């Protein structure tokens, strides 16, 4: 008799690895997060989920790349979710409070990366006046406007304030 051989391939979800460019940026900037080396074979689906600092989902896409922006300082966590829709928790919706799916009894896997939206550099004053020493009766010079520049907030001007200290 002729024997037939069967090979059984078990497909296991794998969320792969995440990379963000950049990982640290100013509020309002955009970071591109990409998943690589994830399982890309039917019926497994690859998704990306962005979660704000308050734990609320701010974006969800099916695929391996997501652009993330956040308007203020804080840390956004991006999850790579690789799953079998037939037996895994469903994707969350924008506005949902996010809880990472339990993959212990279903065919899914998650990985995450944090994107930091922070202004970590102080503004720079550009045309500051030189220090002066005045005698008691010397007139105080007029206050000048000083220009400033900042890595996150652009540029602007600030006018001096005189405080009488008796």
């Amino acid at each position: 008799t002729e024997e037939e051989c069967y090979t059984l391939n078990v497909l296991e979800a794998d969320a792969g690895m995440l990379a963000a460019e950049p990982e640290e940026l100013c509020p309002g900037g955009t970071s591109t997060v990409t998943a690589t080396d994830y399982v890309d074979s039917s019926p497994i689906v690859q998704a990306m989920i962005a979660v704000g600092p308050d734990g609320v989902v701010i974006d969800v896409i099916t695929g391996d790349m997501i652009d993330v922006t956040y308007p203020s300082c804080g840390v956004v966590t991006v999850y790579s979710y690789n799953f079998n829709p037939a037996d895994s928790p469903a994707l969350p919706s924008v506005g949902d409070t996010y809880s990472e799916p339990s993959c212990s009894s279903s065919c899914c896997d998650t990985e995450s990366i944090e994107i930091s939206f922070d202004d970590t550099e102080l503004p720079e004053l550009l045309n500051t006046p030189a220090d002066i020493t005045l005698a008691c009766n010397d007139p105080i010079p007029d206050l000048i406007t000083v220009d400033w520049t900042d890595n996150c907030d652009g540029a602007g001007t600030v006018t001096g304030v005189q405080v009488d200290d008796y």
Side-chain angles (χ1 to χ4, degrees):
T1 67
E2 187 176 309
E3 284 187 35
E4 291 184 27
C5 293
Y6 294 97
T7 302
L8 177 63
N9 289 325
V10 176
L11 192 59
E12 190 171 317
D14 185 347
M17 298 173 51
L18 292 173
E21 185 58 40
E23 277 187 60
E24 297 179 8
L25 63 162
C26 294
T30 300
S31 177
T32 299
V33 181
T34 306
T36 57
D37 299 328
Y38 59 91
V39 171
D40 188 18
S41 189
S42 183
I44 305 295
V45 174
Q46 173 63 29
M48 304 289 277
I49 304 162
V51 179
D54 58 358
V56 174
V57 176
I58 58 175
D59 200 5
V60 178
I61 62 106
T62 301
D64 59 7
M65 186 174 68
I66 189 169
D67 288 330
V68 179
T69 188
Y70 196 71
S72 55
C73 290
V75 174
V76 171
T77 305
V78 176
Y79 294 87
S80 172
Y81 182 40
N82 197 246
F83 67 105
N84 181 343
D87 77 347
S88 300
L91 284 173
S93 297
V94 171
D96 289 350
T97 298
Y98 184 72
S99 62
E100 197 167 346
S102 173
C103 294
S104 61
S105 62
S106 62
C107 185
C108 66
D109 186 41
T110 61
E111 287 294 327
S112 65
I113 191 168
E114 292 184 342
I115 312 302
S116 179
F117 292 88
D118 284 314
D119 185 354
T120 58
E121 294 180 30
L122 293 173
E124 180 182 350
L125 299 175
L126 302 177
N127 56 331
T128 57
D131 290 341
I132 60 171
T133 302
L134 301 172
C136 290
N137 293 327
D138 289 343
I140 297 174
D142 291 334
L143 297 176
I144 68 166
T145 299
V146 177
D147 297 321
W148 59 269
T149 184
D150 185 72
N151 66 314
C152 288
D153 294 325
T157 59
V158 62
T159 302
V161 176
Q162 180 176 333
V163 177
D164 292 327
D165 224 359
Y166 296 105

